[in-house]
Amino acid sequence: MSKLSIVKEFWDFLKVRKRWWLTPIVVMLLLLGLLIFFAQSSAVAPFIYTLF
């Protein structure tokens, strides 16, 4: 099962079940995960830490 199929399955779930309120939650979780990833593994870390 590829990662793309997981995204497609989630999209189909949203369309069929009309759970559009889940979309902002998932997007924010993904953005937070990306922020944590970049804060640990890049030279941008000192700039991210100053935001908090």
Side-chain angles (χ1 to χ4, degrees):
M1 185 175 220
S2 70
K3 292 182 182 184
L4 190 58
S5 67
I6 293 172
V7 172
K8 183 183 180 310
E9 187 174 337
F10 181 68
W11 179 254
D12 290 339
F13 169 77
L14 289 177
K15 285 194 316 189
V16 171
R17 304 278 188 194
K18 306 287 193 255
R19 304 290 176 151
W20 297 111
W21 56 270
L22 283 174
T23 306
I25 296 170
V26 171
V27 169
M28 291 306 294
L29 286 174
L30 287 173
L31 289 175
L32 183 63
L34 286 173
L35 180 67
I36 290 171
F37 175 76
F38 284 120
Q40 292 179 353
S41 64
S42 72
V44 184
F47 302 109
I48 293 174
Y49 290 137
T50 59
L51 295 175
F52 300 104

